[in-house]
């Protein structure tokens, strides 16, 4: 895993050459710890555990890294508003750059190096062939703002939340792999406002509890949770901006191709307090797996069938299953022999 | 009544007089009623420090201009459209000092757009009051082309810019001053339902 051959050359659009290696399937963050699903706050400390899993490192770098960064650059070329930062968020951008560079250099020394000489920093990113010296906190020494600069080198969407008036405000972000929400529209909203369209969860008190937790996240004590949805094709850019372009994908799904086309899309969300700005940064890291690859893990095949079959209708709509659900249930049923499943999210033989 | 339970939508209250060095009041159409009701509660001297900007729109000919003018010794500004009134409001705000109070009343389009101008001018949010009156027509931003369609009363609605049929979501951006419109038939183009009156 030290050579650059590790990284795939693949696409998340047009011909969709994205693929998961057997190792990537095995470490996939399967989000269901029992045979059913309902919203929950499900936050836990983001501490390193289970070597090789996506929970081992602070900011997971996997075989899709280089190609994901290429896809992000394509999105930004077409629509620069996917990356925005209100003026008061500049310091938070530097905080984030520092956090990611120090963690990656420490945890992936074969790929990343950070040399700090006072304010003069040299950053080496071998997978992306970057070797750049700049002055910390001086925007003029970077080709983009600090947030955009480091986000163009980091997998996953990032929202940076300003904390004031006992609330969190979506005041900056890099959002190119989102599941159906618009940074441009939600920029400047508070926590309750940007979650406004989510069904059921407000009434369940989910957001009140989550906000209370997040306001108290401390520096050096990050938290994490998993969330999920379904996507046709391994498409990263499922933005509302381009919905009229990808919406018809769902009509392509039929009983024969559902295993290849339908993908479980899992977000590994984590929450980090930033030191100077006191902002909260919220990485939303996306993992994609086709149903046929998912079913190669027997426990996951059984469980996923039961979860989707028993999902409340409102949630099925929200999770992108309105049209395709019957195909998914029928396809997954062949992997469900009715045997009991073990607790927890990991495959049994690990 | 406005639809309840939209988390991102502003909360509207009847206008209340607040102590201030100056009072800037902006209203359109039936929003004039909110100002006239405020006038029943104001202390002596309030209107000597007040500037009123009014856009009659659908209430033209109802005589609100005369009744508003009667409140204050300063000339009432009467604008033909919201867009035409915005530079005037910007000027009023740039002349304003600490302690200026802002009162906005009328359609959500007017209140939302005036709010943006006030915030951009550096007015503290706590110094701005908002009351919704009259039409529930929505101002809608197409999430695809980012064009704004004004005075939307139907669900769905055709984007006046890119022509897509939009579902008007119950999701409102203060920064943009508009609801979000998302293509309703993206999955099966051509299957959009007929628009029906929804926001009157």
């Amino acid at each position: 895993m030290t050579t650059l051959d590790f990284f795939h050359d693949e696409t998340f659009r047009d011909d969709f050459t994205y693929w998961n290696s057997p190792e990537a399937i095995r470490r996939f963050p399967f989000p269901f710890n029992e045979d059913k699903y309902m919203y929950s706050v499900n936050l836990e400390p983001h501490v390193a555990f289970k070597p090789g899993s996506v929970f081992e490192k602070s900011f997971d770098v996997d075989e899709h890294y280089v190609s994901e960064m290429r896809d992000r650059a394509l999105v930004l070329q077409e629509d620069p508003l996917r990356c925005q930062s209100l003026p008061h968020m500049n310091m938070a951008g530097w905080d984030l750059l520092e956090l990611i560079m120090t963690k990656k250099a420490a945890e992936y020394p074969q790929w990343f190096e950070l040399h700090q000489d006072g304010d003069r920093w040299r950053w080496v990113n071998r997978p992306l062939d970057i070797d750049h010296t700049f002055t910390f906190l001086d925007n003029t020494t970077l080709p983009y703002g600090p947030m955009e600069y480091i986000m163009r080198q980091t997998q996953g969407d990032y929202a940076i939340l300003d904390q004031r008036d006992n609330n969190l405000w979506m005041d900056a972000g890099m959002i190119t792999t989102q599941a159906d929400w618009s940074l441009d529209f939600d920029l400047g909203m508070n926590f309750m406002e940007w979650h406004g369209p989510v069904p059921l969860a407000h009434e369940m008190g989910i957001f009140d509890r989550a906000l209370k937790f997040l306001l108290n996240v401390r520096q050096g004590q990050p938290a994490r949770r998993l969330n999920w949805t379904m996507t046709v094709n391994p498409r990263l850019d499922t933005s509302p901006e381009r919905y009229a372009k990808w919406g018809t994908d769902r009509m392509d799904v039929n009983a024969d191709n559902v295993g290849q086309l339908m993908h479980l899309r899992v977000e590994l969300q984590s929450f980090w307090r930033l030191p100077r700005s006191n902002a909260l940064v919220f990485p939303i890291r996306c993992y994609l797996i086709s149903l046929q690859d998912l079913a190669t893990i027997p426990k996951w095949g059984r469980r996923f069938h039961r979860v989707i079959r028993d999902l409340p209708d409102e949630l099925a709509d929200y999770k992108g299953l309105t049209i395709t659900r019957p195909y998914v249930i029928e396809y997954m049923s062949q992997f469900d022999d009715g045997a009991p499943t073990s607790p927890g999210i990991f495959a049994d033989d690990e | 009544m406005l639809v309840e339970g939209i988390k991102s939508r502003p909360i509207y209250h009847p206008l209340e007089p607040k102590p201030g060095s100056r009072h800037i009041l902006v209203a359109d159409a039936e929003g004039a009623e909110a100002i006239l009701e405020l006038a029943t509660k104001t202390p002596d001297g309030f209107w000597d420090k007040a500037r009123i900007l009014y856009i009659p729109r659908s209430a033209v000919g109802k005589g609100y201009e005369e009744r508003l003018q009667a409140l204050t010794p300063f000339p009432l500004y009467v604008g033909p459209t919201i867009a035409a009134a915005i530079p005037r409001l910007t000027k009023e705000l740039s002349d304003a000092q600490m302690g200026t109070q802002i009162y906005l009343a009328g359609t959500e389009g007017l209140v939302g757009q005036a709010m943006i101008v006030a915030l951009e001018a550096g007015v503290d949010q706590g110094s701005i009051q908002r009351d919704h009156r009259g039409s529930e027509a929505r101002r809608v931003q197409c999430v695809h082309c980012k064009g704004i369609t004004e005075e939307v009363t139907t669900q769905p609605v055709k984007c006046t810019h890119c022509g897509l049929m939009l579902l008007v979501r119950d999701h409102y951006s203060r920064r943009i001053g508009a609801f979000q419109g998302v293509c309703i038939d993206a999955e099966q183009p051509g299957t959009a339902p007929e628009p029906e009156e929804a926001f009157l």
Side-chain angles (χ1 to χ4, degrees):
Chain A
M1 296 239 305
T2 57
T3 71
L4 299 181
D5 296 342
F6 172 67
F7 299 105
H8 294 185
D9 180 4
E10 62 193 1
T11 58
F12 302 85
R13 56 179 67 208
D14 305 324
D15 57 351
F16 295 109
T17 59
Y18 172 89
W19 63 284
N20 280 304
S21 67
E23 296 72 35
I25 293 171
R26 184 149 299 278
R27 74 195 295 276
F28 189 83
F30 186 70
F32 307 106
N33 61 2
E34 55 183 350
D35 288 355
K36 60 179 194 243
Y37 173 78
M38 197 3 116
Y39 289 130
S40 64
V41 176
N42 69 315
L43 283 153
E44 62 179 16
H46 185 37
V47 291
F49 92 130
K50 217 167 169 63
S53 80
V54 303
F55 307 110
E56 184 187 7
K57 305 291 172 66
S58 300
F59 303 99
D60 186 43
V61 177
D62 69 9
E63 63 195 26
H64 309 296
Y65 175 53
V66 172
S67 292
E68 271 191 54
M69 294 302 95
R70 195 184 306 143
D71 194 72
R72 166 158 290 166
L74 289 172
V75 171
L76 291 170
Q77 213 168 7
E78 188 179 320
D79 183 3
L81 295 181
R82 304 292 185 86
C83 179
Q84 295 194 51
S85 178
L86 295 178
H88 63 278
M89 299 302 282
N90 190 57
M91 180 60 86
W94 282 106
D95 274 337
L96 179 61
L97 174 146
E98 177 189 45
L99 175 68
I100 291 177
M101 285 185 177
T102 52
K103 291 289 187 191
K104 281 191 171 175
E107 296 174 2
Y108 296 99
Q110 72 277 32
W111 292 330
F112 304 99
E113 288 172 33
L114 180 63
H115 306 278
Q116 293 162 290
D117 176 14
D119 289 345
R120 291 299 283 174
W121 292 19
R122 178 174 164 229
W123 167 245
V124 179
N125 177 338
R126 284 199 196 86
L128 295 182
D129 196 22
I130 291 168
D131 185 337
H132 185 196
T133 299
F134 61 93
T135 305
F136 187 66
L137 299 183
D138 181 351
N139 282 34
T140 63
T141 60
L142 292 177
Y144 308 98
M147 178 188 73
E148 179 165 354
Y149 178 75
I150 195 62
M151 289 294 89
R152 283 175 177 266
Q153 303 179 47
T154 308
Q155 285 169 280
D157 284 349
Y158 276 64
I160 309 185
L161 315 177
D162 195 28
Q163 183 160 332
R164 57 180 196 273
D165 304 335
N166 230 16
N167 213 325
L168 295 167
W169 302 80
M170 176 89 68
D171 285 348
M174 167 70 90
I175 309 292
T176 62
T177 68
Q178 73 268 52
D180 199 25
W181 64 282
S182 166
L183 173 71
D184 184 49
F185 195 80
D186 289 359
L187 192 71
M189 289 189 191
N190 70 36
F191 189 80
M192 294 303 168
E193 291 171 342
W194 85 71
H195 284 113
V198 181
L200 301 178
H202 286 277
E203 291 68 24
M204 292 169 63
I206 295 283
F207 293 126
D208 293 319
R209 269 177 285 150
L211 176 61
K212 195 171 171 192
F213 179 92
L214 295 174
L215 289 171
N216 290 302
V217 169
R218 292 180 182 182
Q219 198 189 330
Q221 297 175 8
R224 69 175 166 235
R225 69 184 289 262
L226 294 175
N227 193 19
W228 68 279
T229 187
M230 300 291 293
T231 305
V232 181
N233 295 317
R235 186 188 292 281
L236 281 177
D237 180 15
T238 53
S239 58
E241 275 80 1
R242 291 182 58 80
Y243 179 44
K245 305 254 185 351
W246 59 264
T248 54
D249 286 3
R250 288 183 188 156
M251 301 309 292
D252 298 337
V253 177
N254 58 43
D256 295 328
N257 64 19
V258 59
Q260 297 109 61
L261 289 195
M262 283 303 283
H263 286 69
L264 174 60
R265 183 188 191 101
V266 174
E267 295 174 356
L268 170 55
Q269 306 178 345
S270 56
F271 305 89
W272 305 74
R273 179 70 58 197
L274 297 175
R276 297 171 189 79
S277 58
N278 198 41
L280 193 74
V281 66
F282 172 31
I284 310 160
R285 173 63 188 282
C286 171
Y287 296 85
L288 290 160
I289 190 170
S290 67
L291 296 189
Q292 65 183 11
D293 284 353
L294 185 77
T296 62
I297 308 290
K299 172 181 168 181
W300 295 351
R302 292 186 186 103
R303 177 166 291 168
F304 192 66
H305 171 245
R306 297 168 197 176
V307 167
I308 299 303
R309 182 192 61 199
D310 301 338
L311 201 63
D313 288 342
E314 288 153 290
L315 285 184
D317 286 346
Y318 183 62
K319 298 294 186 183
L321 280 160
T322 312
I323 295 175
T324 52
R325 189 183 187 185
Y327 297 123
V328 173
I329 295 172
E330 176 63 27
Y331 177 78
M332 293 308 300
S333 68
Q334 65 183 302
F335 305 106
D336 186 0
D337 55 8
T341 54
S342 61
I345 64 174
F346 294 103
D348 283 326
D349 52 345
E350 286 193 1
Chain B
M1 279 293 288
L2 295 174
V3 180
E4 288 181 14
I6 301 177
K7 309 287 177 192
S8 52
R9 178 180 239 166
I11 297 165
Y12 302 104
H13 296 289
L15 305 179
E16 295 292 336
K18 279 198 187 176
S21 58
R22 184 179 289 194
H23 306 283
I24 298 177
L25 304 99
V26 187
D28 72 346
E30 275 75 28
E33 295 278 3
I35 294 182
L36 293 167
E37 283 169 30
L38 173 72
T40 66
K41 299 180 272 190
T42 47
D44 289 346
F46 180 96
W47 296 100
D48 296 335
K49 296 183 286 186
R51 303 285 186 279
I52 307 176
L53 282 64
Y54 181 60
I55 305 112
R57 306 180 75 202
S58 59
V60 70
K62 291 193 177 173
Y64 286 127
E65 293 91 322
E66 291 73 19
R67 295 171 66 194
L68 292 173
Q69 180 62 81
L71 296 175
T72 168
F74 294 99
L76 175 76
Y77 167 82
V78 179
T81 62
I82 294 173
I86 292 294
R88 172 65 181 251
L89 174 60
T90 305
K91 177 72 165 88
E92 293 285 354
L93 291 166
S94 70
D95 294 344
Q97 295 155 350
M98 288 289 288
T100 298
Q101 295 290 331
I102 313 288
Y103 306 78
L104 310 176
T107 62
E108 280 198 300
L110 178 277
V111 172
Q113 290 173 80
M115 181 81 179
I116 292 168
V117 173
L119 292 177
E120 280 176 356
V123 178
D124 177 61
Q125 199 157 334
S127 303
I128 308 173
Q129 294 184 56
R130 294 170 287 184
D131 191 6
H132 174 263
R133 296 292 174 109
S135 163
E136 293 189 15
R138 293 183 175 187
R139 194 164 180 261
V140 175
Q141 187 203 41
C142 172
V143 76
H144 312 291
C145 77
K146 308 287 183 186
I148 301 273
T149 300
E150 305 278 356
E151 297 292 311
V152 172
T153 58
T154 65
Q155 180 76 286
V157 64
K158 191 180 177 111
C159 175
T160 54
H161 307 278
C162 70
L164 288 174
M165 287 301 281
L166 304 177
L167 171 76
V168 182
R169 296 180 82 188
D170 287 340
H171 193 33
Y172 181 88
S173 166
R174 250 178 295 107
R175 197 177 61 88
I176 299 167
F179 286 84
Q180 188 174 55
V182 181
C183 183
I184 197 169
D185 58 347
E187 299 187 359
Q188 295 168 275
T191 62
E194 282 298 308
E196 289 181 11
E197 294 289 345
F199 317 112
L200 291 177

